[in-house]
Amino acid sequence: LRTALIGYGNVAKAFARLLFDKRSVYPFRIVGIHQRRGTAYDDHGLGLEPQFGEPAGSLNEFLERAQPDVVIELTNLNPDSGQPAISHIRAAFARGIHVITANKGPIAHAYAALCREARRAQVEFRFESTVMDGAPVFNQFRNNLPGVNVFGFTGVLNSTSKIVVAAMQRGLTMEDGIREAQAIGIAEADAFYDIDGWDSAAKTAALANVLMDAGTTPQQVMRSGLRDLTTEQAVEYARAGQSILLVSRAMRSEDGSLKLQVRPEVVPQTDLLATVAGSSNLLLFHTGLMGNYRHGFYSPGSGANSLRNIQRSGRYC
Ligand SMILES: NC(=O)c1ccc[n+]([C@@H]2O[C@H](COP(=O)([O-])OP(=O)(O)OC[C@H]3O[C@@H](n4cnc5c(N)ncnc54)[C@H](OP(=O)(O)O)[C@@H]3O)[C@@H](O)[C@H]2O)c1
């Protein structure tokens, strides 16, 4: 398959490495990579350290020259609008190209419309890695629990804020914690998207759009973040045996209304939500299965895991 990457940052580079390692199993060939600072093409397949030339004048120019069968959209999250990733995806659909993305912006802002457009264009649109990296949170319902109603969910979905709070609970500053998260490649380009809860709000909206038919956006999620947390407070919580976590919650009421929320919550260190250490994430679903069954995912670590799932990326449309 002729594969084109839009964006060549942490995730795209690790994905390219994965494709290279598995080249005998998966017949993908990266024929083009486009980022703002430059574009690279090779019909025979680009290496892991491609030589970038001048950036293509437009995404259409890039797609026209690369002629991919599948586009992998891996640009930065824009929680305000999901752009320009939404336009990138539409440009690919318009040319009959399949799209995979790990960028949650398009799912949080335009999931239903993009699915309709993919169906019309008769192409696949896959996005499993947008929430919780390698855990098959979307595929589990599609493949294993069809017909099960999701009434809500509770999750600790942002790894950067966990690393930052853990650093602050050890007496370091917020900036020290952000540097730690950046060093392991998990922070958003603007780490305050993580700290202020925008990344969690985008994931909450994406989950609600796909699994609860919410038709929502990150702006409609009630959101508060951790920007005001001080090292003194964080250390005090630690001394009292407590953790502070950015928790995502979705709750469908009896009257059908849906409440979506992201906020810091102080919980005992023994609470299930707090027991997932480091950059790990936890997501618990409240469903109608067998009465009021709850089940979920624990995703140890973050970042590199996302790559495993791109290859079996969620197919909800
Ligand atoms: N890091 C993780 O652990 C993780 C896990 C799951 C999902 N994600 C998601 O995956 C996506 C990529 O994350 P990342 O960590 O790889 O980001 P990153 O390291 O910041 O890389 C982003 C890439 O996108 C390019 N880019 C930005 N705007 C562009 C535009 N308008 N046109 C073309 N290229 C553009 C950037 O290059 P230029 O600046 O040169 O344009 C860069 O190559 C994000 O949406 C993120 O939320 C990340």
Side-chain angles (χ1 to χ4, degrees):
L1 275 177
R2 295 174 65 87
T3 305
L5 305 184
I6 307 176
Y8 201 57
N10 292 311
V11 173
K13 284 178 188 159
F15 178 61
R17 254 194 316 277
L18 181 78
L19 282 190
F20 186 76
D21 290 347
K22 300 208 170 189
R23 61 194 179 284
S24 61
V25 186
Y26 296 107
F28 288 88
R29 183 162 27 111
I30 299 176
V31 292
I33 302 177
H34 176 60
Q35 47 183 349
R36 281 174 301 195
R37 77 195 76 157
T39 303
Y41 305 94
D42 190 336
D43 264 352
H44 301 291
L46 288 160
L48 295 178
E49 302 282 346
Q51 290 295 314
F52 285 93
E54 284 297 303
S58 66
L59 194 78
N60 270 321
E61 183 187 314
F62 169 64
L63 296 177
E64 179 62 31
R65 173 134 177 230
Q67 293 290 322
D69 301 308
V70 57
V71 154
I72 321 274
E73 215 291 341
L74 295 169
T75 64
N76 305 105
L77 168 67
N78 172 352
D80 295 335
S81 65
Q83 291 289 14
I86 293 173
S87 302
H88 294 164
I89 292 168
R90 288 194 162 130
F93 288 168
R95 289 171 171 268
I97 300 167
H98 305 295
V99 176
I100 300 171
T101 187
N103 186 336
K104 64 220 103 187
I107 311 302
H109 281 274
Y111 166 69
L114 290 173
C115 280
R116 274 196 304 275
E117 291 164 35
R119 273 195 298 272
R120 214 176 299 134
Q122 297 186 305
V123 295
E124 296 286 341
F125 177 42
R126 305 187 184 192
F127 49 83
E128 180 63 70
S129 292
T130 55
V131 179
M132 265 186 112
D133 305 333
V137 293
F138 299 116
N139 276 336
Q140 63 152 337
F141 286 99
R142 161 112 184 163
N143 297 335
N144 303 328
L145 301 171
V148 167
N149 284 326
V150 177
F151 299 133
F153 55 83
T154 304
V156 180
L157 302 174
N158 180 262
S159 302
T160 295
S161 60
K162 293 189 69 212
I163 297 288
V164 170
V165 170
M168 293 173 79
Q169 293 204 292
R170 298 195 308 273
L172 300 175
T173 65
M174 185 172 282
E175 288 67 31
D176 293 330
I178 289 173
R179 274 192 290 276
E180 273 186 30
Q182 285 167 338
I184 53 174
I186 59 167
E188 289 297 331
D190 178 346
F192 280 96
Y193 282 165
D194 296 298
I195 301 297
D196 290 341
W198 279 113
D199 173 76
S200 297
K203 287 170 175 161
T204 304
L207 284 166
N209 283 342
V210 179
L211 300 176
M212 303 176 79
D213 204 15
T216 192
T217 66
Q219 285 76 8
Q220 290 170 271
V221 177
M222 283 186 292
R223 178 191 54 80
S224 55
L226 288 162
R227 204 185 273 243
D228 296 334
L229 181 71
T230 64
T231 299
E232 291 68 34
Q233 288 167 329
V235 168
E236 199 50 47
Y237 288 132
R239 281 203 194 106
Q242 293 174 316
S243 292
I244 180 158
L245 300 164
L246 217 41
V247 180
S248 295
R249 291 186 187 274
M251 289 149 279
R252 176 87 71 196
S253 311
E254 300 262 306
D255 65 5
S257 62
L258 180 61
K259 185 173 161 193
L260 300 173
Q261 168 185 291
V262 170
R263 65 174 186 193
E265 294 186 17
V266 177
V267 298
Q269 282 165 358
T270 50
D271 188 290
L272 180 61
L273 291 179
T275 51
V276 288
S279 60
S280 306
N281 297 145
L282 184 75
L283 177 58
L284 300 171
F285 288 101
H286 319 268
T287 73
L289 187 66
M290 293 189 292
N292 194 13
Y293 187 69
R294 292 187 182 206
H295 74 283
F297 283 100
Y298 161 55
S299 175
S302 183
N305 275 350
S306 54
L307 305 166
R308 275 175 224 137
N309 236 29
I310 290 178
Q311 55 189 299
R312 53 175 165 66
S313 204
R315 38 178 316 171
Y316 237 77
C317 304

